[in-house]
Amino acid sequence: MDQRPQNITVLGSTGSIGVNTLDVLARHPQRFSVFALSGHSRIDLLFAQCLAHRPRFVVATDAQAGAALESRLAAQGSTTRVLQGHAALDEVAAHEEVDMVMAAIVGAAGLSSCIAAARAGKRLLLANKEALVVGGSLFMEAVDGGGATLLPIDSEHSAIFQSLPADRVSWPSVVEKIILTASGGPFRTRDPATLRDVTPEQACAHPNWSMGRKISVDSATMMNKALEVIEAKFLFGLEPARIEVIIHPQSVVHSMVQFVDRAVVAQLGVPDMRGPIAYGLSWPARIESGTAALDFATMSALSFETFDAGAHRARFPGLQLAWDALAALRGTTAVLNAANEIAVAAFLEEQIRFDQIHAVNQATLEALHFGAPASLPELLDLDLRARAHAQQLAKGLAR
Ligand SMILES: NC(=O)c1ccc[n+]([C@@H]2O[C@H](COP(=O)([O-])OP(=O)(O)OC[C@H]3O[C@@H](n4cnc5c(N)ncnc54)[C@H](OP(=O)(O)O)[C@@H]3O)[C@@H](O)[C@H]2O)c1
């Protein structure tokens, strides 16, 4: 092992994944050194993180919050340099002294810094699934072109990565399918006809995982799983027909790979994101993560439900949009992601109903006509157009 501590930039350090990442890093001070942090609105937490981890840089993407942070840090005699605005995220992601970047910003706002880290050849730990859903093949070209190492942090994709053979070239010939597990979220057994009455608080109350609000709503609609199907397609290079989703309410089996000889390899653990985070940080080695051990003596039965069972298709209509978007023109996954970000925000602000999230997503996919984006600027332009369209739809729907 390289004796020098690895320098890491944690983008989105004030979020759920960011906080868990700092917890794992603090357990291994000889191995890792925090080089840069970033936050958007939770400035008190970002301030406390700067004092605890003493990074070289901190990025406050909101300029006003950045100015306040700068004076507070100066008053404490901190040597951390405050940078402001979104362009600074790219700077600390691609900085020549950085070895690894944890991409834990939520939504397409994290795309540019992911591409910057990829082009600069970093080890890129990807929690920010929306960046890959939007960037698609352009994102993967940046990874290949820059010689970066892309490692999944989503627990399902980490599980698949841990179950696959090391020889990536063999995957298309030895893997029959990958099976993503889904907990089913808070509404797995709810009557679909009552989904119109769901409140933001109910949608954010996930039974197994404690997460940020956007991903919690995505878990409740299963759009999170749709985004993960798209993420899996780009990460593992398998055609979408070889990606399956199965409901597993206990979230103990984090996902599985079925091989051509019908052997199934799975990865298990308690639902705690510090597990996949530690694996991404240490791969191909393993380090202590702080996660509790599975207790087989007390674990109740593990259960599985196919997606076709019961009323799941009526309950979670958004899941199918993943395969539809992957089969359509390049850029369609970016349109789907943009519509969903707008729809979820409108739901959280109580402008539209829970069941209308899918209506906005589907209508945006159907209405928007575009040519396949060939570059990042064209992709970002498409993202903006899709957002504007979804915004208008959401306004028209209003509760
Ligand atoms: N949480 C999980 O267990 C989990 C599991 C798998 C994958 N993921 C993925 O990981 C990503 C982060 O999820 P999370 O649950 O950690 O979300 P979160 O708790 O909402 O945190 C999001 C982070 O992004 C920052 N941010 C928000 N809007 C921003 C903007 N416009 N520009 C720059 N930064 C911005 C936030 O800053 P402030 O808080 O300071 O505003 C925060 O640091 C998501 O893509 C999610 O799908 C999460």
Side-chain angles (χ1 to χ4, degrees), residues 12 14-17 40-42 86 127 129-130 154 211-212 273:
T14 49
S16 166
I17 293 287
H40 189 59
S41 64
R42 284 174 267 197
H86 280 85
K129 68 192 84 180
E130 296 92 343
D154 240 331
M211 309 181 286
M273 286 308 294

Side-chain angles (χ1 to χ4, degrees), residues 14-98:
T14 49
S16 166
I17 293 287
V19 166
N20 277 306
T21 301
L22 292 176
D23 180 283
V24 178
L25 293 174
R27 293 165 190 274
H28 304 280
Q30 312 298 327
R31 247 180 198 269
F32 305 110
S33 168
V34 177
F35 183 82
L37 298 174
S38 93
H40 189 59
S41 64
R42 284 174 267 197
I43 293 304
D44 288 347
L45 177 56
L46 192 57
F47 171 70
Q49 289 178 341
C50 286
L51 296 186
H53 296 275
R54 302 156 57 124
R56 179 101 62 91
F57 296 102
V58 60
V59 179
T61 35
D62 180 271
Q64 220 179 349
L69 180 65
E70 193 159 24
S71 50
R72 283 174 75 183
L73 284 172
Q76 294 291 323
S78 164
T79 55
T80 297
R81 216 178 121 203
V82 181
L83 306 174
Q84 292 171 20
H86 280 85
L89 295 172
D90 298 9
E91 223 176 286
V92 295
H95 196 286
E96 60 179 6
E97 289 180 48
V98 168

